[in-house]
Amino acid sequence: MMLEELESIGKSKSGAILSKSCTLEPRSGNPEPRYSALPFGSINSMGIPNLGYKKYAEFSPKLKQFGKPYIVSVSGMTFEDNVTIVKELSAISEIDFLELNLSCPNLIGKPQVGYDFEQSKILLEKVFSVCKKPLGIKLPPYFDFIHFEQMATVLNQSPLAFVTCINSLGNGLAIDIESETALIKPKGGFGGIGGKYVKPTALANVRKFYELLNKNISIIGVGGIKNGSDVFEFLLCGSTAVQIGTTLVEEGVQCFERIENELRGVMERKGYSSVEDVIGKLKIKK
Ligand code: HRO
């Protein structure tokens, strides 16, 4: 992610500046086309294109001028890379939080760490032994109650500041029927699915971790947020903040102001004056 892109998020109505994931060395990412909009969302296999973690440290004094939290997402190619990057970035005073990405679905030959509970536990232990800053993790979607419970047990043993649910739904396939060709090039056309397709899965992941995690771990919701009512649903499930992915790509940084105004409208119509009164208050049919 370039400095200009991060600055335009700084100037927008977003509540924070979150970089896309960085690695130890710069990467150009997977071959193009590697992103395609779909009728109800998107497919991507970007392959973590980024300038290398040192650049996101260099950008930090400039980005702090916008007066909002600056969060750097870390997605090292190896266990040791993650430890090195977290150690170095956590020493930079203008970075407020780190988000360790345990869920990039698009690296050839590399499993998503978040689907390996033992490996996640070992990585978190090591990372927290070197980290001097609040750190959260970004998780892949889970689909089985036993898996939620196994991951929650690991997470509840760590001093996590937050958990972000969910990363894209891994290894979907989207096709153009005229040319009979997969829409994106990397990995035989397989890529992470985002947008409306994943919203029910995202809400379920937020809800399940809200039920299972220690209350001092905040939950950040992401997946299919396009308007203020979507945010309201994530709040009900237990998110205290949200991230916007596909909608930001498709609409640009104006989406933050529009969605905030829409959320305000939903809250007013329903008689709420504070998000605190909404967070986690999902009702279940008796
Ligand atoms: O760069 C990517 O391919 C990518 C990453 Cl790191 C991620 O976390 N999630 C995603 O959908 N794509």
Side-chain angles (χ1 to χ4, degrees), residues 31-261:
E32 295 182 352
R34 57 193 184 183
Y35 171 91
S36 180
L38 301 177
F40 300 102
S42 63
I43 184 166
N44 89 84
S45 183
M46 305 301 288
I48 326 186
N50 77 97
L51 304 167
Y53 80 98
K54 289 190 175 140
K55 282 280 175 213
Y56 302 94
E58 271 173 48
F59 294 164
S60 62
K62 275 215 157 109
L63 294 172
K64 257 334 270 179
Q65 290 174 9
F66 296 102
K68 41 177 105 163
Y70 175 41
I71 309 164
V72 179
S73 168
V74 174
S75 193
M77 303 295 286
T78 65
F79 184 101
E80 289 72 27
D81 286 4
N82 278 320
V83 176
T84 305
I85 301 169
V86 166
K87 186 173 179 200
E88 302 254 329
L89 291 182
S90 80
I92 307 286
S93 61
E94 295 93 346
I95 296 174
D96 298 285
F97 299 91
L98 297 176
E99 184 183 80
L100 181 62
N101 183 357
L102 300 186
S103 47
C104 176
N106 300 327
L107 293 174
I108 294 151
K110 292 218 185 271
Q112 284 162 265
V113 179
Y115 286 138
D116 183 335
F117 305 117
E118 187 57 28
Q119 194 58 25
S120 297
K121 182 178 154 73
I122 297 168
L123 178 60
L124 286 176
E125 276 170 11
K126 184 69 192 171
V127 155
F128 276 110
S129 75
V130 300
C131 186
K132 304 168 208 66
K133 235 181 237 311
L135 178 137
I137 52 171
K138 186 150 185 173
L139 293 176
Y142 301 97
F143 304 93
D144 188 304
F145 280 8
I146 299 297
H147 294 159
F148 284 110
E149 284 163 20
Q150 287 175 331
M151 195 57 175
T153 302
V154 170
L155 303 181
N156 280 333
Q157 292 165 4
S158 284
L160 280 167
F162 63 88
V163 162
T164 306
C165 301
I166 55 171
N167 209 319
S168 59
L169 217 138
N171 295 311
L173 188 56
I175 296 165
D176 168 45
I177 63 159
E178 295 316 317
S179 62
E180 302 171 13
T181 308
L183 287 180
I184 59 170
K185 181 168 176 182
K187 283 181 68 178
F190 288 75
I193 305 297
K196 279 283 170 273
Y197 300 105
V198 312
K199 197 180 93 175
T201 301
L203 290 170
N205 275 254
V206 167
R207 186 65 189 170
K208 208 61 193 151
F209 281 113
Y210 182 76
E211 290 171 4
L212 294 172
L213 292 181
N214 299 338
K215 285 295 170 244
N216 58 347
I217 304 177
S218 304
I219 301 177
I220 301 181
V222 49
I225 295 174
K226 207 167 174 176
N227 58 41
S229 337
D230 296 325
V231 179
F232 191 81
E233 290 182 49
F234 275 88
L235 294 176
L236 282 176
C237 288
S239 310
T240 52
V242 295
Q243 298 177 1
I244 314 274
T246 302
T247 298
L248 173 62
V249 175
E250 294 304 320
E251 182 178 338
V253 294
Q254 315 83 275
C255 72
F256 297 116
E257 184 167 11
R258 175 183 62 74
I259 293 171
E260 188 186 330
N261 289 337

